[in-house]
Short mmCIF file of all heavy atoms in Angstrom, two decimals:
data_model
loop_
_atom_site.label_atom_id
_atom_site.label_comp_id
_atom_site.label_asym_id
_atom_site.label_seq_id
_atom_site.Cartn_x
_atom_site.Cartn_y
_atom_site.Cartn_z
N ALA A 1370 34.16 -131.44 36.11
CA ALA A 1370 34.71 -131.34 37.48
C ALA A 1370 33.56 -130.88 38.47
O ALA A 1370 33.49 -131.45 39.58
CB ALA A 1370 35.87 -130.31 37.51
N ALA A 1371 32.73 -129.96 38.03
CA ALA A 1371 31.62 -129.46 38.95
C ALA A 1371 30.54 -130.57 39.03
O ALA A 1371 30.01 -130.77 40.10
CB ALA A 1371 31.13 -128.20 38.42
N ASP A 1372 30.23 -131.22 37.88
CA ASP A 1372 29.25 -132.20 37.87
C ASP A 1372 27.90 -131.74 38.37
O ASP A 1372 27.22 -132.50 39.13
CB ASP A 1372 29.70 -133.49 38.46
CG ASP A 1372 28.87 -134.74 38.03
OD1 ASP A 1372 28.38 -134.68 36.88
OD2 ASP A 1372 28.79 -135.68 38.72
N ARG A 1373 27.51 -130.50 38.07
CA ARG A 1373 26.26 -129.96 38.61
C ARG A 1373 25.20 -130.13 37.55
O ARG A 1373 24.74 -129.30 36.82
CB ARG A 1373 26.43 -128.45 38.94
CG ARG A 1373 27.37 -128.22 40.08
CD ARG A 1373 27.39 -126.79 40.52
NE ARG A 1373 28.11 -126.60 41.76
CZ ARG A 1373 28.07 -125.55 42.51
NH1 ARG A 1373 27.44 -124.44 42.11
NH2 ARG A 1373 28.80 -125.40 43.63
N GLY A 1374 24.76 -131.45 37.44
CA GLY A 1374 23.79 -131.85 36.40
C GLY A 1374 22.38 -131.96 36.93
O GLY A 1374 22.11 -131.79 38.04
N ARG A 1375 21.47 -132.11 35.89
CA ARG A 1375 20.06 -132.43 36.21
C ARG A 1375 19.56 -133.54 35.26
O ARG A 1375 20.08 -133.58 34.04
CB ARG A 1375 19.23 -131.22 36.06
CG ARG A 1375 19.70 -130.02 36.90
CD ARG A 1375 18.94 -128.76 36.58
NE ARG A 1375 19.63 -127.58 36.85
CZ ARG A 1375 19.33 -126.30 36.63
NH1 ARG A 1375 18.07 -126.13 36.11
NH2 ARG A 1375 19.99 -125.31 36.94
N ARG A 1376 18.65 -134.29 35.57
CA ARG A 1376 18.01 -135.35 34.75
C ARG A 1376 16.72 -134.69 34.13
O ARG A 1376 15.66 -134.75 34.80
CB ARG A 1376 17.73 -136.65 35.39
CG ARG A 1376 17.13 -137.70 34.49
CD ARG A 1376 16.97 -139.07 35.08
NE ARG A 1376 15.94 -139.11 36.04
CZ ARG A 1376 14.78 -139.86 35.92
NH1 ARG A 1376 14.61 -140.50 34.76
NH2 ARG A 1376 13.88 -139.78 36.84
N LEU A 1377 16.94 -134.13 32.94
CA LEU A 1377 15.78 -133.41 32.30
C LEU A 1377 15.14 -134.25 31.15
O LEU A 1377 14.06 -133.92 30.67
CB LEU A 1377 16.20 -132.07 31.72
CG LEU A 1377 16.81 -131.07 32.69
CD1 LEU A 1377 17.27 -129.84 31.95
CD2 LEU A 1377 15.93 -130.82 33.86
N ASP A 1378 15.93 -135.29 30.73
CA ASP A 1378 15.48 -136.10 29.58
C ASP A 1378 15.00 -137.47 30.09
O ASP A 1378 15.71 -138.11 30.81
CB ASP A 1378 16.72 -136.27 28.58
CG ASP A 1378 17.32 -134.89 28.23
OD1 ASP A 1378 16.81 -134.34 27.26
OD2 ASP A 1378 18.16 -134.44 28.96
N HIS A 1379 13.93 -137.85 29.55
CA HIS A 1379 13.14 -139.05 30.11
C HIS A 1379 12.65 -139.94 29.01
O HIS A 1379 12.41 -139.56 27.95
CB HIS A 1379 12.03 -138.53 31.01
CG HIS A 1379 12.42 -137.63 32.10
ND1 HIS A 1379 12.57 -138.11 33.34
CD2 HIS A 1379 12.59 -136.21 32.09
CE1 HIS A 1379 12.88 -137.05 34.18
NE2 HIS A 1379 12.92 -135.99 33.46
N ILE A 1380 12.47 -141.22 29.51
CA ILE A 1380 11.76 -142.22 28.70
C ILE A 1380 10.80 -142.92 29.59
O ILE A 1380 11.08 -143.61 30.52
CB ILE A 1380 12.75 -143.26 28.13
CG1 ILE A 1380 13.80 -142.49 27.17
CG2 ILE A 1380 11.98 -144.28 27.36
CD1 ILE A 1380 14.79 -143.59 26.60
N TRP A 1381 9.51 -142.57 29.35
CA TRP A 1381 8.40 -143.23 30.06
C TRP A 1381 7.69 -144.22 29.11
O TRP A 1381 7.79 -144.13 27.88
CB TRP A 1381 7.35 -142.31 30.39
CG TRP A 1381 7.88 -141.26 31.61
CD1 TRP A 1381 9.02 -141.33 32.17
CD2 TRP A 1381 7.01 -140.23 32.11
NE1 TRP A 1381 9.12 -140.28 33.09
CE2 TRP A 1381 7.88 -139.57 33.11
CE3 TRP A 1381 5.83 -139.74 31.91
CZ2 TRP A 1381 7.40 -138.55 33.86
CZ3 TRP A 1381 5.36 -138.57 32.55
CH2 TRP A 1381 6.15 -138.07 33.60
N GLY A 1382 7.05 -145.24 29.70
CA GLY A 1382 6.39 -146.16 28.84
C GLY A 1382 5.13 -146.76 29.46
O GLY A 1382 4.86 -146.52 30.74
N SER A 1383 4.27 -147.34 28.75
CA SER A 1383 3.06 -148.05 29.21
C SER A 1383 3.54 -149.25 29.98
O SER A 1383 4.71 -149.61 29.99
CB SER A 1383 2.25 -148.54 28.00
OG SER A 1383 2.98 -149.44 27.14
N ALA A 1384 2.59 -149.92 30.72
CA ALA A 1384 2.91 -151.10 31.42
C ALA A 1384 3.49 -152.21 30.64
O ALA A 1384 4.37 -152.89 31.03
CB ALA A 1384 1.58 -151.59 32.21
N ALA A 1385 2.90 -152.27 29.41
CA ALA A 1385 3.53 -153.34 28.48
C ALA A 1385 4.98 -153.09 28.15
O ALA A 1385 5.76 -154.03 28.08
CB ALA A 1385 2.69 -153.37 27.22
N MET A 1386 5.35 -151.86 27.92
CA MET A 1386 6.73 -151.51 27.64
C MET A 1386 7.60 -151.71 28.85
O MET A 1386 8.86 -151.97 28.72
CB MET A 1386 6.87 -150.03 27.12
CG MET A 1386 6.59 -149.92 25.65
SD MET A 1386 7.63 -151.05 24.59
CE MET A 1386 9.16 -150.07 24.71
N ALA A 1387 7.12 -151.53 30.04
CA ALA A 1387 7.86 -151.77 31.24
C ALA A 1387 8.24 -153.21 31.31
O ALA A 1387 9.40 -153.59 31.75
CB ALA A 1387 7.03 -151.35 32.48
N GLU A 1388 7.42 -154.08 30.89
CA GLU A 1388 7.73 -155.51 30.88
C GLU A 1388 8.76 -155.91 29.74
O GLU A 1388 9.47 -156.87 29.92
CB GLU A 1388 6.38 -156.37 30.65
CG GLU A 1388 5.48 -156.29 31.81
CD GLU A 1388 6.03 -156.63 33.06
OE1 GLU A 1388 6.74 -157.68 33.15
OE2 GLU A 1388 5.92 -155.92 34.03
N ARG A 1389 8.80 -155.10 28.64
CA ARG A 1389 9.69 -155.28 27.62
C ARG A 1389 11.09 -154.72 27.88
O ARG A 1389 12.07 -154.99 27.15
CB ARG A 1389 9.23 -154.76 26.34
CG ARG A 1389 8.04 -155.51 25.63
CD ARG A 1389 7.48 -154.73 24.45
NE ARG A 1389 6.46 -155.51 23.84
CZ ARG A 1389 6.59 -156.20 22.66
NH1 ARG A 1389 7.85 -156.18 22.10
NH2 ARG A 1389 5.64 -156.89 22.06
N THR A 1390 11.15 -153.78 28.85
CA THR A 1390 12.47 -153.06 29.10
C THR A 1390 13.55 -154.02 29.59
O THR A 1390 13.42 -154.83 30.46
CB THR A 1390 12.23 -152.03 30.17
OG1 THR A 1390 11.38 -150.99 29.65
CG2 THR A 1390 13.54 -151.28 30.54
N ARG A 1391 14.72 -153.84 28.93
CA ARG A 1391 15.90 -154.67 29.17
C ARG A 1391 17.10 -153.97 29.72
O ARG A 1391 18.05 -154.50 30.28
CB ARG A 1391 16.32 -155.59 27.94
CG ARG A 1391 15.14 -156.45 27.44
CD ARG A 1391 14.96 -157.64 28.52
NE ARG A 1391 13.85 -158.49 28.09
CZ ARG A 1391 12.64 -158.44 28.55
NH1 ARG A 1391 12.32 -157.38 29.40
NH2 ARG A 1391 11.69 -159.23 28.13
N GLY A 1392 17.17 -152.68 29.40
CA GLY A 1392 18.33 -151.82 29.93
C GLY A 1392 18.24 -150.41 29.58
O GLY A 1392 17.44 -150.04 28.73
N VAL A 1393 19.03 -149.62 30.23
CA VAL A 1393 19.08 -148.17 30.17
C VAL A 1393 20.49 -147.64 30.14
O VAL A 1393 21.30 -148.14 30.85
CB VAL A 1393 18.26 -147.46 31.25
CG1 VAL A 1393 18.48 -145.94 31.25
CG2 VAL A 1393 16.80 -147.69 30.99
N SER A 1394 20.81 -146.69 29.35
CA SER A 1394 22.15 -145.96 29.40
C SER A 1394 21.99 -144.56 29.23
O SER A 1394 21.15 -144.13 28.44
CB SER A 1394 23.08 -146.65 28.37
OG SER A 1394 22.63 -146.46 27.07
N VAL A 1395 22.86 -143.82 29.84
CA VAL A 1395 22.96 -142.35 29.68
C VAL A 1395 24.43 -141.96 29.22
O VAL A 1395 25.37 -142.25 29.92
CB VAL A 1395 22.67 -141.61 31.00
CG1 VAL A 1395 22.71 -140.10 30.79
CG2 VAL A 1395 21.15 -141.92 31.46
N LEU A 1396 24.58 -141.57 28.03
CA LEU A 1396 25.88 -141.29 27.47
C LEU A 1396 26.56 -140.04 27.94
O LEU A 1396 26.65 -139.02 27.16
CB LEU A 1396 25.84 -141.39 25.96
CG LEU A 1396 27.30 -141.47 25.33
CD1 LEU A 1396 27.98 -142.77 25.62
CD2 LEU A 1396 27.05 -141.42 23.74
N LYS A 1397 26.99 -140.01 29.21
CA LYS A 1397 27.54 -138.84 29.78
C LYS A 1397 28.72 -138.24 29.00
O LYS A 1397 28.84 -137.06 28.95
CB LYS A 1397 28.02 -139.06 31.28
CG LYS A 1397 28.48 -137.88 31.97
CD LYS A 1397 28.85 -138.22 33.45
CE LYS A 1397 29.44 -136.95 34.13
NZ LYS A 1397 29.78 -137.33 35.58
N GLU A 1398 29.51 -139.06 28.42
CA GLU A 1398 30.73 -138.63 27.77
C GLU A 1398 30.35 -137.81 26.54
O GLU A 1398 31.25 -136.94 26.06
CB GLU A 1398 31.58 -139.86 27.36
CG GLU A 1398 30.90 -140.83 26.57
CD GLU A 1398 30.49 -142.04 27.37
OE1 GLU A 1398 30.06 -141.75 28.55
OE2 GLU A 1398 30.67 -143.19 26.95
N ALA A 1399 29.17 -137.85 26.02
CA ALA A 1399 28.90 -137.02 24.88
C ALA A 1399 28.81 -135.55 25.22
O ALA A 1399 28.97 -134.68 24.36
CB ALA A 1399 27.50 -137.36 24.31
N ARG A 1400 28.67 -135.26 26.54
CA ARG A 1400 28.73 -133.78 26.94
C ARG A 1400 30.14 -133.28 26.75
O ARG A 1400 30.28 -132.00 26.63
CB ARG A 1400 28.36 -133.71 28.39
CG ARG A 1400 28.23 -132.26 28.92
CD ARG A 1400 27.31 -131.33 28.18
NE ARG A 1400 27.27 -130.03 28.78
CZ ARG A 1400 28.20 -129.07 28.50
NH1 ARG A 1400 29.19 -129.26 27.70
NH2 ARG A 1400 28.09 -127.83 29.09
N GLY A 1401 31.15 -134.06 26.70
CA GLY A 1401 32.52 -133.62 26.47
C GLY A 1401 32.98 -133.69 25.04
O GLY A 1401 34.11 -133.35 24.74
N TRP A 1402 32.08 -134.12 24.07
CA TRP A 1402 32.47 -134.17 22.68
C TRP A 1402 32.73 -132.68 22.22
O TRP A 1402 32.12 -131.70 22.72
CB TRP A 1402 31.43 -134.85 21.89
CG TRP A 1402 31.38 -136.36 22.12
CD1 TRP A 1402 32.24 -137.05 22.84
CD2 TRP A 1402 30.45 -137.22 21.61
NE1 TRP A 1402 31.94 -138.45 22.83
CE2 TRP A 1402 30.72 -138.56 22.15
CE3 TRP A 1402 29.27 -137.11 20.82
CZ2 TRP A 1402 30.07 -139.65 21.80
CZ3 TRP A 1402 28.55 -138.25 20.49
CH2 TRP A 1402 28.87 -139.48 21.02
N PRO A 1403 33.45 -132.40 21.04
CA PRO A 1403 33.57 -131.11 20.59
C PRO A 1403 32.30 -130.46 20.15
O PRO A 1403 31.47 -131.05 19.48
CB PRO A 1403 34.51 -131.40 19.35
CG PRO A 1403 35.23 -132.64 19.61
CD PRO A 1403 34.20 -133.50 20.36
N GLY A 1404 32.09 -129.22 20.56
CA GLY A 1404 30.90 -128.52 20.19
C GLY A 1404 29.64 -129.17 20.65
O GLY A 1404 28.69 -129.37 19.92
N PRO A 1405 29.50 -129.58 21.87
CA PRO A 1405 28.33 -130.44 22.34
C PRO A 1405 27.07 -129.76 22.57
O PRO A 1405 27.02 -128.51 22.64
CB PRO A 1405 28.88 -130.95 23.65
CG PRO A 1405 29.63 -129.77 24.23
CD PRO A 1405 30.42 -129.23 23.06
N SER A 1406 26.04 -130.55 22.54
CA SER A 1406 24.73 -130.07 23.20
C SER A 1406 24.89 -130.00 24.66
O SER A 1406 25.92 -130.69 25.25
CB SER A 1406 23.59 -131.03 22.80
OG SER A 1406 22.43 -130.71 23.59
N ASP A 1407 24.15 -129.30 25.39
CA ASP A 1407 24.21 -129.36 26.85
C ASP A 1407 23.49 -130.57 27.42
O ASP A 1407 23.42 -130.81 28.59
CB ASP A 1407 23.66 -127.98 27.52
CG ASP A 1407 22.44 -127.49 26.87
OD1 ASP A 1407 21.88 -128.07 25.98
OD2 ASP A 1407 21.94 -126.42 27.36
N HIS A 1408 22.71 -131.25 26.56
CA HIS A 1408 22.09 -132.55 26.92
C HIS A 1408 22.87 -133.75 26.36
O HIS A 1408 23.60 -133.51 25.38
CB HIS A 1408 20.72 -132.60 26.33
CG HIS A 1408 19.75 -131.65 26.90
ND1 HIS A 1408 18.69 -131.89 27.76
CD2 HIS A 1408 19.65 -130.24 26.63
CE1 HIS A 1408 18.06 -130.79 28.07
NE2 HIS A 1408 18.57 -129.80 27.42
N VAL A 1409 22.69 -134.88 26.94
CA VAL A 1409 23.32 -136.13 26.42
C VAL A 1409 22.27 -137.12 26.08
O VAL A 1409 21.09 -137.00 26.62
CB VAL A 1409 24.30 -136.72 27.43
CG1 VAL A 1409 25.49 -135.71 27.71
CG2 VAL A 1409 23.70 -137.21 28.66
N PRO A 1410 22.52 -138.12 25.16
CA PRO A 1410 21.52 -139.03 24.87
C PRO A 1410 21.17 -140.03 25.97
O PRO A 1410 22.06 -140.42 26.71
CB PRO A 1410 22.11 -139.85 23.71
CG PRO A 1410 23.32 -139.01 23.26
CD PRO A 1410 23.75 -138.24 24.48
N VAL A 1411 19.89 -140.38 26.07
CA VAL A 1411 19.40 -141.41 26.93
C VAL A 1411 18.81 -142.56 26.08
O VAL A 1411 18.05 -142.35 25.11
CB VAL A 1411 18.30 -140.90 27.88
CG1 VAL A 1411 17.85 -141.95 28.80
CG2 VAL A 1411 18.85 -139.67 28.61
N THR A 1412 19.19 -143.79 26.32
CA THR A 1412 18.83 -144.92 25.48
C THR A 1412 18.20 -146.03 26.28
O THR A 1412 18.65 -146.37 27.38
CB THR A 1412 20.08 -145.45 24.75
OG1 THR A 1412 20.66 -144.48 23.90
CG2 THR A 1412 19.70 -146.66 23.87
N LEU A 1413 17.11 -146.54 25.76
CA LEU A 1413 16.35 -147.64 26.38
C LEU A 1413 16.48 -148.91 25.46
O LEU A 1413 16.30 -148.70 24.18
CB LEU A 1413 14.91 -147.32 26.48
CG LEU A 1413 14.01 -148.52 27.00
CD1 LEU A 1413 14.12 -148.68 28.48
CD2 LEU A 1413 12.58 -148.21 26.64
N GLU A 1414 16.82 -150.02 26.03
CA GLU A 1414 16.89 -151.29 25.26
C GLU A 1414 15.57 -152.11 25.71
O GLU A 1414 15.32 -152.13 26.81
CB GLU A 1414 18.18 -152.12 25.66
CG GLU A 1414 19.37 -151.48 25.07
CD GLU A 1414 20.62 -152.43 25.24
OE1 GLU A 1414 20.46 -153.58 25.75
OE2 GLU A 1414 21.78 -151.95 25.07
N PHE A 1415 14.92 -152.55 24.67
CA PHE A 1415 13.71 -153.30 24.93
C PHE A 1415 13.57 -154.40 24.01
O PHE A 1415 14.06 -154.48 22.93
CB PHE A 1415 12.44 -152.39 24.85
CG PHE A 1415 12.21 -151.77 23.52
CD1 PHE A 1415 11.25 -152.28 22.67
CD2 PHE A 1415 12.92 -150.71 23.01
CE1 PHE A 1415 10.95 -151.84 21.41
CE2 PHE A 1415 12.53 -150.12 21.76
CZ PHE A 1415 11.69 -150.71 20.97
#
């Protein structure tokens, strides 16, 4: 409800990986799973 978040988790890449990048997702719902971490997964498709 408060949604007072921060983007602390990152995926950086070389110029070559930037060309290979196809998508990104941040699984916000994982923060609501039972007994969660305070962070959620960040995924890069390449």
Side-chain angles (χ1 to χ4, degrees):
D1372 200 24
R1373 295 188 171 190
R1375 307 175 204 175
R1376 183 173 73 110
L1377 304 180
D1378 305 270
H1379 301 265
I1380 300 178
W1381 290 359
S1383 59
M1386 279 301 290
E1388 295 303 315
R1389 287 175 175 256
T1390 294
R1391 297 294 177 265
V1393 165
S1394 61
V1395 180
L1396 192 64
K1397 181 177 180 179
E1398 52 264 40
R1400 183 61 178 82
W1402 290 353
S1406 169
D1407 45 358
H1408 296 254
V1409 299
V1411 179
T1412 299
L1413 174 79
E1414 293 188 4
F1415 66 97

